[in-house]
Amino acid sequence: MVFEGLSSKLQDTFKKLKGKGKLTEKDIKEATREIKLALLEADVNFKVVKSFVKNINERALGADVLKSLTPGQQVIKIVNDELTSLMGGQPVKLTYSPKGMTVLMLVGLQGAGKTTTAGKLAAYIKKESKKVLLAACDVYRPAAIKQLQVIGKQVDAEVFADTEEKNPVVIAEKALKYAKEHFYDVVIFDTAGRLHIDEALMDELVQIKKSVTPDHIILNIDSMTGQEAVNVAETFNEKISLSGVILTKLDGDTRGGAALSVASVTGKPILFAGMGEKLTDLEIFYPDRMASRILGM
Amino acid sequence: NYSGVYDEEFFEELEEILILSDIGYESTNEIIEKTREIITRENITDKIQVKNAIKLVVKEILKKEDDKHRDIATPAVILIVGVNGVGKTTTIAKLANLYKGMGLNVMLAAGDTFRAAAVEQLEIWAERVGVPIVKNAQGADPSSVIFDALQAAKSRKTDILICDTAGRLHNKDNLMKELSKMNKIINNSSDHFNVYRYLVLDATSGTNALNQTATFNEVTQLDGIILTKLDGSAKGGIIIPIKNQYHIPVEYVGVGEGVEDLQEFIPEDFAEILFE
Ligand SMILES: Nc1nc2c(ncn2[C@@H]2O[C@H](COP(=O)(O)OP(=O)(O)OP(=O)(O)O)[C@@H](O)[C@H]2O)c(=O)[nH]1
Ligand SMILES: Nc1nc2c(ncn2[C@@H]2O[C@H](COP(=O)(O)OP(=O)(O)OP(=O)(O)O)[C@@H](O)[C@H]2O)c(=O)[nH]1
Ligand SMILES: [K+]
Ligand SMILES: [Mg+2]
Ligand SMILES: [Mg+2]
């Protein structure tokens, strides 16, 4: 299960806390040290861990906790609160443009899961009785267009492709025009994977953004990503201003550090979690439920 | 109990650098302790010497005697495994290009019959590199593709057959069983072929790569690791605890999306870049 390692470590720490009647400052320091290690071992970003632990420490050392009759419970509640807010607090639903068409654009590193997620989103949006177009803007990866076409067929959504055109910006413009002419409610742009440090390709995203003015630019992040997750998210956010994040491959046994880091550094919500390779494996992300699950509550 | 100018703050900074490179908490501690030892023992005070001491420690870990780089003996079959999206199919194209450039006959097997357009993707690569491919339709049994490819490679006197497999998360038992079946079929060909199994790891991944290595190694007895996407900003530090625990050699690194973007893994260079 995802978060398993983190979950069991944190719960061990809590067990120790609950076993004690009253807590001393030393107990809390020891507990926060253990929490810090657990988070680091779970790939939560180093900087995120530092500020997280500082928050816990400050709140837990507050007079109320030390005087409380159930101090262990109080600390657990604080950690639960902080974890929830770290992952964005309230769940955020995907919104549609009140008038006209809604334009979504999926971006991310190579292999993050964009094309698959495009299909999953199409299936999800179709269930809300909306007409969805998938636009194939990856001209680089061999058979990327074909991949989207196969996926489009699987979810019964039309795919706009132009195999003659080599410029993704032009394809995006054509796709948008096509979508407008054919009264689509939603169009989803699948873009090629790219490194956040690749200036030329990042600039291409800026160009696509300019020409199709997406309502939502959504970063796909592989849940297995390590410490780099925050740099990736920060850079994409700086360059093209994200509206949210989708965590993919959360069906693995990853320790979930990326999940805990990305929302907090970008301030952008985690909209969905990818839970498998099937095109129905997409779930709305609930920060509070995820926190409770990690803490075994 | 270590000398002079290198105080706790210095080691905390070092800790931060190591953890931010995905080396993991345990290996980070190990590296720090070993560095402290060297600093104390050799009474080092110079910053450059300290840096060298750290690099030395890292190189030691990366350069275990028991996991020397192995040259491929032909005829060979190479099975490429790994989790989703790490770069398996692209790496196969790079390897095919490399071996073909050495004058060897290479053949590919499209063992990913699951992912949308995975066969077409490998087909395009085969065409670009100029090597034959054995394939079947999406949805076909991957083991039978591997079986057919082994027969074809044998009868055509192929030097190296490289088999693609579908990406699979190591915690999915059914998919790992399917992989085990492919592995058995390949093992059965060992009277004719030298068998190699490479795990592809993404340099961007965190400590989950340790779990990946453990499970894939159990199922397919890995001969080597290929670390992809090192052209990104992630340093691939996860390879350090992996080497420490599993002693599986890193054979190649991927540094881009083109067929030429494959390099031999050189521990010295890796250690240098880690502390740039
Ligand atoms: N287990 C699992 N696999 C996933 C999930 N999402 C995507 N994948 C797999 O991850 C791999 C990469 O997915 P793609 O959709 O091709 O990723 P991409 O971001 O479009 O890749 P590029 O276009 O090459 O950058 C495929 O094998 C997918 O089946 C998920 O939520 N869980
Ligand atoms: N920057 C960079 N990208 C790479 C590298 N190797 C592969 N990629 C990209 O990563 C993405 C996924 O590569 P694939 O070869 O399809 O990965 P895979 O492991 O076969 O994926 P699945 O079959 O879906 O599990 C593609 O966009 C590749 O171009 C590399 O070394 N550097
Ligand atoms: K890198
Ligand atoms: Mg794609
Ligand atoms: Mg593949």
Side-chain angles (χ1 to χ4, degrees), chain B residues 229-235:
Chain B
K229 308 188 193 174
L230 262 181
D231 48 324
S233 58
K235 301 260 172 73

Side-chain angles (χ1 to χ4, degrees), chain B residues 1 194 268:
Chain B
N1 52 351
N194 299 294
E268 284 79 7

Side-chain angles (χ1 to χ4, degrees), chain B residues 10-56:
Chain B
F10 170 81
F11 285 102
E12 262 171 38
E13 238 170 73
L14 178 59
E15 181 186 34
E16 182 167 342
I17 294 173
L18 293 171
I19 285 180
L20 283 173
S21 317
D22 293 311
I23 289 176
Y25 196 76
E26 257 175 53
S27 290
T28 290
N29 270 345
E30 189 186 324
I31 292 171
I32 288 179
E33 284 322 307
K34 284 190 175 152
T35 307
R36 274 188 211 255
E37 263 173 49
I38 297 179
I39 289 179
T40 314
R41 179 160 28 101
E42 312 200 343
N43 217 349
I44 294 175
T45 52
D46 179 60
K47 260 225 153 78
I48 293 176
Q49 276 181 302
V50 174
K51 237 181 158 182
N52 287 340
I54 303 164
K55 282 181 195 164
L56 191 78

Side-chain angles (χ1 to χ4, degrees), chain A residues 134-291:
Chain A
L134 290 163
C137 298
D138 180 355
V139 298
Y140 307 106
R141 170 170 166 169
I145 296 174
K146 181 73 205 249
Q147 184 189 2
L148 192 65
Q149 285 169 332
V150 171
I151 286 172
K153 200 169 237 165
Q154 284 170 355
V155 298
D156 193 20
E158 202 192 334
V159 175
F160 180 92
D162 182 346
T163 46
E164 299 301 308
E165 180 56 57
K166 292 288 166 258
N167 183 349
V169 184
V170 175
I171 297 175
E173 281 164 359
K174 284 187 181 172
L176 189 73
K177 186 160 170 275
Y178 180 89
K180 277 183 185 152
E181 283 167 5
H182 293 82
F183 304 105
Y184 279 91
D185 299 310
V186 181
V187 46
I188 304 172
F189 288 90
D190 178 30
T191 64
R194 66 202 73 217
L195 296 171
H196 59 296
I197 55 170
D198 185 329
E199 298 279 344
L201 283 182
M202 289 306 285
D203 191 53
E204 181 192 283
L205 281 186
V206 174
Q207 297 305 320
I208 297 178
K209 177 184 172 177
K210 256 191 210 148
S211 46
V212 304
T213 53
D215 297 280
H216 299 293
I217 300 179
I218 303 172
L219 178 70
N220 285 231
I221 288 244
D222 185 329
S223 312
M224 292 175 278
T225 312
Q227 295 286 327
E228 273 295 294
V230 301
N231 296 335
V232 173
E234 273 179 332
T235 312
F236 271 95
N237 194 29
E238 269 162 32
K239 295 260 160 83
I240 50 169
S241 179
L242 303 170
S243 17
V245 175
I246 294 181
L247 285 172
T248 61
K249 311 179 198 175
L250 211 60
D251 48 321
D253 62 352
T254 154
R255 302 176 208 195
L260 296 175
S261 312
V262 164
S264 84
V265 296
T266 58
K268 298 298 159 71
I270 301 169
L271 299 166
F272 294 97
M275 300 299 294
E277 293 189 78
K278 287 200 306 298
L279 299 172
T280 45
D281 294 332
L282 187 73
E283 292 178 6
I284 293 175
F285 189 86
Y286 295 96
D288 51 342
R289 289 187 203 167
M290 201 54 97

